[in-house]
Amino acid sequence: VKERGGSAISVLTADDHERLNRKSMIEKRLIHALDRHNLRLLYQPQIDLKTGKMDGVEALVRWEDSEIGIVTPDELIPIAEENGMIHEIGLYVLETVCAQLKDWHSRGLDINVSINTSIREFRDKDMAKAFLEQIQTNGCDPKNLTIEITERFALEAESERSIVKQMQQLNQAGINFTLDDFGTGYAAFRYMLMLPIKNLKIDRSIIKSITKQEKMQKLIKGMIQFGKSLDLRVTAEGVETNEQLELLRAMECDMIQGYISGYPMEAADLEKWMK
Ligand code: C2E
Ligand code: CA
Ligand code: CA
Ligand code: CA
């Protein structure tokens, strides 16, 4: 229990200390990791259900530090959002993806890559400019890039003119947007009309329950139809079983992403997987 104590230290429990220690370690080591290019990206395939072919991949950040071990994105991203280092991570991810795209392009591979962004990145007024500069410096094609924003992001962004402007700027340069984590509870669908969004990704937590209840199936079917009625391409995320896959196919879901068709993998493994 945190009470007003004599010193700031005495109000913290041992657990608090451990958490704060780990957090400050992560913050310190992250600077080092970005410097040394120690963050890696894995690429998880997204499959078009009509053709059965890969439509693109999602880039997912991975970090194993020599001192603190594995730091999952679910731990890393909130810390980086809080201390502002998400800007550096965002540019690092973009730079890495651009280099990868260029390499793929030079070997005749035309692969679309989705990257994840946080609203905090867009609150920097120069974010779109920095992104477009990075793309130009690296000489990759913005048409191969998609930016995923979360539903929560979209809800906040709708009322922040400078964010909408930056999204439009990126969109005009050829970058697509995906609305991620759809259905997780922030639904207020107006934002879909305001923002330049092309794809909709139904959250894994919802897909997970598709086989459990008849009602859930109706709900998911409704979400897919809803997306399609707005001319969005709909992806189901976190598809793990054949049963889920077949239900989604019957519901005319456009795409899937999940362990059933491919785990997140190193670029080189992805290339082998594609053959
Ligand atoms: P997300 O954007 O919703 O990404 C999908 C997550 O589901 C990934 O977790 C992926 O590995 C996992 N996944 C994919 N298919 C399956 C499946 O069939 N079953 C299960 N159980 N899981 C599946 P991951 O890589 O741990 O990333 C977690 C979250 O961290 C991401 O959720 C995203 O919000 C965030 N994140 C990851 N990389 C980045 C990044 O470069 N920048 C930012 N801002 N956020 C990132
Ligand atoms: Ca995502
Ligand atoms: Ca997602
Ligand atoms: Ca998610």
Side-chain angles (χ1 to χ4, degrees):
V1 188
K2 287 177 199 168
E3 283 172 19
R4 274 184 165 275
S7 79
I9 302 297
S10 66
V11 299
L12 299 175
T13 65
D15 254 19
D16 287 339
H17 274 294
E18 205 173 297
R19 204 162 29 79
L20 285 175
N21 266 339
R22 181 161 168 93
K23 198 176 145 206
S24 61
M25 271 296 269
I26 287 174
E27 289 178 327
K28 200 177 108 226
R29 297 293 298 171
L30 179 58
I31 298 173
H32 187 256
L34 285 167
D35 263 5
R36 301 271 175 99
H37 286 249
N38 279 345
L39 297 189
R40 292 179 309 128
L41 291 181
L42 297 184
Y43 299 93
Q44 185 179 31
Q46 299 167 322
I47 312 295
D48 185 320
L49 281 180
K50 267 218 187 82
T51 63
K53 294 212 173 80
M54 189 178 89
D55 186 82
V57 294
E58 177 176 9
L60 295 157
V61 77
R62 292 291 178 269
W63 180 26
E64 181 165 7
D65 183 72
S66 56
E67 284 180 23
I68 44 182
I70 290 175
V71 183
T72 66
D74 285 329
E75 184 177 20
L76 170 66
I77 299 300
I79 292 175
E81 281 176 347
E82 198 187 309
N83 72 12
M85 283 191 70
I86 194 72
H87 295 289
E88 279 76 34
I89 293 182
L91 282 171
Y92 177 98
V93 167
L94 179 64
E95 188 186 357
T96 309
V97 166
C98 279
Q100 187 63 64
L101 279 175
K102 236 183 113 183
D103 174 53
W104 279 332
H105 186 76
S106 75
R107 290 184 290 122
L109 294 167
D110 183 33
I111 300 175
N112 298 315
V113 181
S114 296
I115 59 175
N116 293 284
T117 54
S118 144
I119 192 163
R120 173 107 194 232
E121 290 174 67
F122 278 84
R123 289 211 167 105
D124 171 359
K125 301 254 177 311
D126 293 325
M127 183 265 192
K129 199 167 142 248
F131 262 49
L132 294 175
E133 270 170 17
Q134 180 70 260
I135 288 165
Q136 192 155 39
T137 309
N138 276 280
C140 68
D141 190 345
K143 294 225 160 40
N144 285 119
L145 276 175
T146 294
I147 294 179
E148 299 198 351
I149 63 164
T150 61
E151 190 173 13
R152 170 144 182 236
F153 174 134
L155 188 55
E156 286 181 42
E158 184 220 16
S159 60
E160 294 182 44
R161 190 169 299 178
S162 85
I163 294 182
V164 180
K165 231 171 87 189
Q166 298 215 70
M167 285 179 70
Q168 281 162 347
Q169 209 179 327
L170 292 166
N171 192 226
Q172 270 150 24
I175 297 175
N176 284 316
F177 282 92
T178 292
L179 182 69
D180 196 4
D181 295 352
F182 180 59
T184 47
Y186 296 93
F189 301 122
R190 255 180 345 187
Y191 58 67
M192 296 199 141
L193 307 175
M194 292 290 299
L195 307 174
I197 289 168
K198 196 181 142 203
N199 314 295
L200 193 68
K201 226 168 157 178
I202 301 175
D203 195 61
R204 174 155 58 93
S205 61
I206 290 169
I207 299 303
K208 234 169 115 173
S209 47
I210 192 170
T211 51
K212 304 225 169 83
Q213 296 171 36
E214 183 100 22
K215 272 208 177 132
M216 205 61 204
Q217 282 174 29
K218 286 191 180 143
L219 178 75
I220 294 170
K221 193 168 177 195
M223 289 170 82
I224 293 169
Q225 279 166 355
F226 169 77
K228 292 187 145 197
S229 72
L230 291 176
D231 287 325
L232 300 168
R233 279 195 92 197
V234 182
T235 303
E237 163 184 85
V239 180
E240 293 182 351
T241 68
N242 256 314
E243 202 185 350
Q244 293 170 339
L245 176 65
E246 288 317 318
L247 283 168
L248 288 161
R249 199 196 296 280
M251 293 174 187
E252 295 180 324
C253 183
D254 296 311
M255 294 205 284
I256 59 149
Q257 181 184 342
Y259 294 164
I260 186 148
S261 46
Y263 289 93
M265 50 194 128
E266 301 280 355
D269 295 328
L270 177 76
E271 291 171 28
K272 279 184 221 145
W273 179 93
M274 286 169 67
K275 280 185 188 143

